[in-house]
Each structure stands twice: as structure tokens, then as C-alpha cells.
Amino acid sequence: MSLLFGVGVAFLSLVLAARGQKTEPLSGLGDQAPFRGADRYDFAIMILPGGTECFWQFAHQSGYFYFSYEVQRTMGLSQGRHITATAHTPKGFLIDKSQDIRGQINFSTKESGFYQLCLGNQQNHFASVQVYINFGVFYEGADLENNQRNEERQKLNDTLDAIEESTRKVQINIFHMWRYYNFARMRKGSDFFILQSNYNYVNWWSIAQSIVIVLSGILQLYFLKRLFNAPQVTDPRKPRC
């Protein structure tokens, strides 16, 4: 009985702990900063025919969320490269939708929480697509954690304020340069796969045409030889006048 009672207590505690977990970072835990992951990501992903892939990115209020994608190549029977991209609020409401080979979804975050990003390949039922995506969130001014600490500090003098403002502008400019660099990477990867596909297409088509030309030449030679093949006629089988 004591063993069963102990197991029951442990199970109840796990259930209560699981129900007490929130889907967003906790705040107000003293000096411990809330965990919210990285602010930006860029990678390529393969989406199966008719499949959907979703991602969640945490963002605080008063931030700027960006999401861009580009279909780099298709693998399968179909050659369609259009996909469906959607962005939803932490409460599940649709923010924006894009249906194209490449596109962007940018918006300001009105609430804190995990924003959902989804890529759907429902238009291609017989081909997988490789999609390069780049998404994240940034905040005007210094980092959020630094802002919370700076509120408790004394005001800096004019010289340090000017240095901080210049540094902030440099960081924002570097961030936008990084975004433009990712756009260039998207386009470069897409162009590379298109060139590779065209190269393979030309090679296989040339080989097929060469085989057809050789076979047609052999068949022509064979039929021409049959036209000049005269049967051997003996004296009893000679035609009479």
C-alpha cells in the first residue's frame, strides 16, 4: 500500500507540474533572464509532396518580425515550385499568407508569445521541394535584456549616450546587411539548382538524339542493302520472253 501511495503521489506531482508549464518564457524570476532562443534563423528544409512544415519563434511585444522564403528546387514528377506560407499569432489568428516561388511576410509583434510559421506543399502531390527560409525578430534600440538592466542604472552622460546611439545604428545597419546577404544566398542557391537542372536536361536530350540518329542511320543502311539484294537465278528459273 505504501508503494502504491508513493507512486500515486509522484504521478500526481508530475501531472500538476506538466499542467503548470506555460508556452512562453517566464518573467519575474529575479535576475535570471527568460530563455527565448535565438532571434534569427536561416536554413533549408525539404517538404514532402502534399506535406506541411511549421516552426515557432518567440517574440516580445513591440518587435519587428520578418519571414522570407524561396523554393530552390523540386524533385519528383511535377515541376511546380509554388508553395503556401502562412504566419499566425500566438493565439492562432492568421496574420498574412503568401503563395509564390519566393516571398516575404513582415509585421510588427503586438503581443508576446510564440508565433507560428508554416510552409505547405499542397499544390505538388508528386514532387518534393527544397525551401530556403530566413526568419526572426529584432527590436529597435538595444537588446531586451540590456534594456531591462539599463532601466535600473543611472543615466549615462552625453558622451556615452552618443557612443551608444552610434553603436545601435551600426548594429541595425549590420543586421539589415545580413538580411540582404541572406536574400543573395537564396537567389544564388536557386540559380545554381536551375543551371544544374538545365545542364542535366541538355545532356540527356543530346544523348537521346544521338541514339536516335545512329539507329536511323543503321535502319536506312539496312533497308538500302535489301533493295540491292538480287536473288541468284539458275538456268531453269530464268524468266522467259
Side-chain angles (χ1 to χ4, degrees):
M1 292 296 293
S2 60
L3 179 60
L4 293 176
F5 180 77
V7 173
V9 172
F11 178 78
L12 182 60
S13 61
L14 289 176
V15 171
L16 292 176
R19 293 185 62 184
Q21 292 179 357
K22 294 184 178 180
T23 57
E24 62 183 25
L26 301 177
S27 59
L29 299 178
D31 296 335
Q32 184 178 2
F35 174 77
R36 52 189 174 90
D39 285 335
R40 57 179 181 264
Y41 296 90
D42 60 292
F43 54 88
I45 186 172
M46 186 67 65
I47 304 178
L48 298 178
T52 302
E53 294 289 342
C54 294
F55 308 91
W56 285 264
Q57 171 67 32
F58 182 82
H60 285 282
Q61 189 179 4
S62 69
Y64 184 79
F65 204 106
Y66 63 92
F67 173 41
S68 56
Y69 67 93
E70 179 167 355
V71 178
Q72 294 183 321
R73 61 172 174 173
T74 60
M75 291 182 291
L77 300 178
S78 176
Q79 296 299 321
R81 300 177 60 196
H82 287 72
I83 63 172
T84 302
T86 57
H88 296 80
T89 64
K91 295 181 180 179
F93 296 104
L94 179 65
I95 299 176
D96 200 356
K97 182 178 182 180
S98 175
Q99 290 180 315
D100 207 340
I101 299 175
R102 65 182 63 88
Q104 298 184 45
I105 298 178
N106 304 320
F107 56 91
S108 299
T109 56
K110 304 299 183 181
E111 55 183 330
S112 299
F114 285 96
Y115 288 80
Q116 183 184 27
L117 310 172
C118 291
L119 296 171
N121 190 26
Q122 289 83 6
Q123 300 183 18
N124 297 322
H125 297 283
F126 302 100
S128 301
V129 293
Q130 178 177 321
V131 186
Y132 185 89
I133 59 178
N134 174 29
F135 64 90
V137 60
F138 71 93
Y139 307 92
E140 291 291 343
D143 188 71
L144 185 65
E145 298 175 5
N146 293 331
N147 285 336
Q148 293 176 352
R149 296 178 182 176
N150 289 336
E151 290 177 357
E152 300 175 358
R153 297 177 182 176
Q154 295 180 353
K155 294 183 179 180
L156 301 176
N157 55 33
D158 295 339
T159 303
L160 294 179
D161 286 339
I163 295 175
E164 184 179 6
E165 181 67 18
S166 301
T167 304
R168 184 183 65 83
K169 291 181 179 179
V170 171
Q171 288 178 347
I172 294 177
N173 292 333
I174 292 175
F175 172 77
H176 288 294
M177 289 175 60
W178 176 82
R179 287 195 64 195
Y180 294 140
Y181 169 73
N182 275 279
F183 293 150
R185 286 181 60 191
M186 288 184 185
R187 189 60 57 86
K188 181 180 179 181
S190 179
D191 293 341
F192 170 77
F193 288 117
I194 291 176
L195 290 175
Q196 189 178 36
S197 177
N198 293 337
Y199 175 77
N200 294 332
Y201 172 79
V202 171
N203 285 341
W204 285 107
W205 186 245
S206 300
I207 293 173
Q209 287 184 331
S210 300
I211 293 174
V212 171
I213 292 172
V214 172
L215 290 177
S216 62
I218 294 174
L219 291 176
Q220 289 179 0
L221 181 61
Y222 173 74
F223 287 111
L224 285 174
K225 288 182 65 177
R226 290 197 60 183
L227 291 176
F228 293 99
N229 283 340
Q232 295 181 358
V233 181
T234 58
D235 292 338
R237 297 178 57 185
K238 289 182 179 180
R240 297 179 181 181
C241 296

